[in-house]
Amino acid sequence: MYEKLALYIDGVFVEAEGRKTEPVLNPASGEVLGQLPHATREDLDRALAAAQKAFQTWKKTSPLERSAILRKVAELARERAEAIGRNITLDQGKPLAESVGEVMVCAEHAEWHAEEARRIYGRVIPPRRADVRQFVLREPVGVCAAFTPWNFPFNQAIRKMVAALGAGCTLVLKGPETAPSAVIALARLFHDAGLPKGCLNLVWGVPAEISEYLIKSPIVRKVSFTGSIPVGKQLAAMAGAQMKRGTWELGGHSPVLVFDDANVDQAAITLAKLKIRNAGQVCVSPSRFYVQSKVYDRFAAKFIETLKSINVGNGLEKTTVMGPLAHARRVDVMQAFVEDAVTHGGEIVMGGARLKTAGNFFPPTVITGLPDHARLMTDEPFGPIAPLTPFADPEDAIRRANSLPYGLSSYVFTESLKTATHVSNALEAGMVNINHFGSALSETPFGGVKESGIGSEGGTETFDGYLVTKFVTHV
Ligand code: NAD
């Protein structure tokens, strides 16, 4: 049975009860799965007031108590992973194994934050006089407003929840209206794990209206957003106008550099599988492929061969490796990328047109021969399209990789330690993966540089975004 759609305010799940609703669609079929209630202004005010009230006690709970709740969340997430995963496939589209995997991996995020929340230490600074004491305390920033996207609905929401709650903050979160089941399931996990009422509140509605109302509220002290760069900039400007802290995890356009000395077949297979994961709707998806001339043809052949073996279909089918795109509008975006590529002289060597079935299906697509100014080389596709382009000089490849205003993830394939070191030093990116994909673990930083964002939602850096420093001295 699909998730019962609701708001979660002050410890109570609230169904439509006369509120405006919006339909949630299955991207594989267009079928309506349920009606999502929108929060009214009164709902938003109640959620803010509940978070403000709960903060007064939650900030004083011991890290041990907070840790116990996060551990319980991890345990319950593992128990319910199959059911939650099935609903993610229904409203988001990804294959069932990926959906269930998302929940299982996220149980680790809750556990890891349960551990680290117990190690939020301050420090003692040696004084200039023997009778003076100087301490640095780290305190939770306060009520947070969080906005999470539809591509990894469980993952993106739990990362913000465990970081904020683990640090002693409370929050009001708006999840993705098009894939809401995972976020409601998360609220149920926290509820059942014994999180005091008001610490976590969940609202839905028109994104721009909710974000403006929450960010401008004097109750909110910190904003965390994961989504596109244009929206991130708008929200950051709004938060900055009131000097509110922010964690901004935005898009990228991850360059891949494959060098002549790489294990070419392994690189092509690894990258092809990574490219179609979640139908390419991943902020760290490899998206611009620069391949050194000597191995270009071999890489392209293996890459295309691997993509051709990918079974595209409904995520609930056992044989499906790549599901539909999450929304109908993303299919239009893919089509526009292809049209722009053709006008720039690109050759569509595989895929290139939406599948003529019900649902938002777009096949793995490979385009060659594009100039660097074609849209696909400058704008993040956020879908299953890969442009391949050769390079001769490594310095030229680095320059092209760094030429965009983004800097989230990047990929390097080489067997030379010297090349790996040089290129990882030179790439302007928050994450550099050499010869494999190793990002997005709970214990490793996750964030970008340049326009890809500010702050991290992984690793010990995570808590920095949810804590403020207080210096105390006495004599
Ligand atoms: P979009 O810019 O319309 O929306 C991106 C996300 O932000 C969605 O979850 C949406 O609900 C939310 N959003 C939009 N306007 C908002 C507002 N004013 N206030 C608060 N939230 C708002 O783009 P889209 O078509 O939904 O997604 C495609 C783009 O989003 C991609 O280009 C990609 O860069 C970006 N994206 C990035 C991530 C990520 O993990 N960094 C995740 C999802 C989407």
Side-chain angles (χ1 to χ4, degrees), residues 147-152 156 174-177 207-212 225-231 234-235 249-252 281-283 327 329-330 333 380-382 408 446:
F147 306 95
T148 61
W150 45 264
N151 58 339
F152 290 95
Q156 303 283 355
K174 187 199 82 61
E177 283 73 16
E209 290 173 12
I210 302 229
S211 57
E212 182 170 356
F225 171 79
T226 301
S228 65
I229 293 173
V231 174
Q234 274 174 33
L235 302 193
E249 224 207 89
L250 312 177
Q281 303 165 118
V282 184
C283 56
H327 314 127
R329 72 170 181 278
R330 298 303 309 162
V333 173
E380 178 185 33
F382 220 66
L408 192 57
F446 192 93

Side-chain angles (χ1 to χ4, degrees), residues 187-233:
R188 295 193 200 283
L189 292 178
F190 279 97
H191 185 87
D192 296 347
L195 184 72
K197 67 177 190 170
C199 290
L200 170 66
N201 302 274
L202 176 58
V203 295
W204 308 102
V206 176
E209 290 173 12
I210 302 229
S211 57
E212 182 170 356
Y213 195 74
L214 294 181
I215 294 171
K216 288 189 174 169
S217 163
I219 292 172
V220 167
R221 294 311 317 156
K222 188 233 155 82
V223 182
S224 179
F225 171 79
T226 301
S228 65
I229 293 173
V231 174
K233 284 180 177 173

